[in-house]
Amino acid sequence: MTSTANAAATGGTAPAAIRSVTVIGLGIMGLPMARNLVAAGFDVVGFNRSPDKVDRLVEAGGRGASSVAESVRDADVVITMVPDSPDVEGVVTGEDGVFARAKQGTIWIDASSIRPDVAARLAEEAARAGLRPLDAPVSGGEQGAIDAALSIMVGGEAADFEAARPVLEAVGRTIVHVGPAGSGQTVKAANQLVVAGNIQLLAEAVVFLEAYGVDTSAALTVLGGGLAGSKVLDQKGRKMLERNFEPGFRLQLHHKDMGIVTAAAREAGVTVPLGALVAQLVAATVARGDGGLDHSGLFKLTEELSGRSGR
């Protein structure tokens, strides 16, 4: 089914100003985001290094491309959702990259989580190439991407943000312009700092509760109804109780993000003592071979350090 036919079937209608959206990077987050854009009525083209992900987008009503250059040729908006700063640079720069191959006036939205200084530098390069750059990292994990309920923090020109709003609203629920280029990545770094700290403390709380033989499921229910309640508790508590660390957001990516946090804090002269400790715990968990687990897998190291592993 073409994306136009899919829009008719679902009732979605893309705004007239933006028709074609390219998504580069169809991983855990990028693929469900692309599917939601199809459902919203956009003509969605996807590119991914693994062709099977492209096939899954095509099955959902999108179209596939065999290269970055092909994927962006007719795009009104290009979204990049790749793992790290070098990956973003790899797809946007060079003679076959987004900057060289996208048409003038294309809005480029980088939804990846990368270094704020890299985001600002690439925004300058994009603008020189005639593109309209926005750094728009997301929070909410795989489920948020599936439900089109992501929180999106956006850096860039206010006019470009408003122009891109229909696209962002197709994949997110809380969408906020937070400042000039690089600001979205700065806010995302703060987000990852808070999330990592919450996961670590939740892991310690679960180990503590189990040590006393408490009904942990009941305990997390009542904790979730009070001041200790959080989305981290809601989404990660059950995974810890069940020792189910199927990835929604991999530890190796959170390790990368905590590196961004600590480097940016050092550059700004800001002290983040608890953040630095959690960053070390994340690094230790990845170093022992658990980087492919969900970031709730921090629980494994916490349990081991408490001498309670193997339960």
Side-chain angles (χ1 to χ4, degrees):
M1 179 185 290
T2 65
S3 58
T4 302
N6 189 75
T10 61
T13 303
I18 296 174
R19 185 186 68 86
S20 178
V21 180
T22 290
V23 180
I24 298 173
L26 299 173
I28 287 176
M29 302 294 287
L31 181 58
M33 290 170 67
R35 284 171 168 162
N36 285 326
L37 287 164
V38 170
F42 293 99
D43 176 19
V44 182
V45 178
F47 172 74
N48 194 77
R49 287 178 296 184
S50 303
D52 63 303
K53 300 292 182 65
V54 177
D55 293 340
R56 291 168 66 184
L57 174 61
V58 171
E59 290 170 2
R63 295 189 289 123
S66 59
S67 68
V68 169
E70 179 189 346
S71 74
V72 305
R73 183 176 54 212
D74 300 315
D76 299 313
V77 173
V78 175
I79 299 174
T80 47
M81 176 55 100
V82 294
D84 202 351
S85 300
D87 303 292
V88 175
E89 295 193 77
V91 298
V92 300
T93 61
E95 63 181 19
D96 289 320
V98 175
F99 296 169
R101 297 293 182 166
K103 63 188 180 183
Q104 295 284 297
T106 297
I107 298 173
W108 168 48
I109 302 172
D110 183 30
S112 317
S113 295
I114 66 173
R115 286 166 37 195
D117 61 318
V118 173
R121 173 170 56 78
L122 290 177
E124 291 178 358
E125 293 183 27
R128 286 196 296 269
L131 276 61
R132 303 162 68 184
L134 295 170
D135 53 290
V138 304
S139 180
E142 181 182 16
Q143 195 59 51
I146 292 170
D147 296 338
L150 294 168
S151 177
I152 310 176
M153 46 227 82
V154 187
E157 294 292 333
D160 297 336
F161 168 70
E162 289 302 329
R165 185 184 288 276
V167 172
L168 298 172
E169 288 178 342
V171 298
R173 185 173 297 163
T174 302
I175 304 159
V176 182
H177 182 235
V178 295
S183 299
Q185 296 296 350
T186 301
V187 176
K188 179 59 186 289
N191 179 88
Q192 296 303 80
L193 173 62
V194 172
V195 170
N198 272 325
I199 288 175
Q200 178 58 34
L201 285 174
L202 175 60
E204 293 177 16
V206 171
V207 171
F208 173 74
L209 291 167
E210 289 184 344
Y212 279 92
V214 172
D215 180 336
T216 48
S217 182
L220 292 189
T221 297
V222 71
L223 290 175
L227 192 58
S230 69
K231 289 185 178 179
V232 166
L233 191 154
D234 293 341
Q235 295 181 20
K236 305 301 179 180
R238 178 57 54 184
K239 293 177 78 72
M240 292 181 186
L241 296 187
E242 295 177 355
R243 276 62 170 176
N244 172 18
F245 304 116
E246 185 74 22
F249 186 76
R250 291 183 175 86
L251 267 165
Q252 60 196 19
L253 291 177
H254 214 138
H255 174 47
K256 176 263 298 182
D257 290 345
M258 293 306 289
I260 291 172
V261 169
T262 53
R266 184 166 54 249
E267 183 176 329
V270 174
T271 301
V272 287
L274 291 179
L277 176 57
V278 175
Q280 290 181 28
L281 293 171
V282 173
T285 307
V286 171
R288 53 186 256 154
D290 288 333
L293 301 181
D294 185 76
H295 50 176
S296 57
L298 263 176
F299 177 83
K300 289 184 64 179
L301 180 61
T302 303
E303 187 179 41
E304 189 172 298
L305 290 172
S306 300
R308 298 185 61 80
S309 58
R311 286 174 54 84

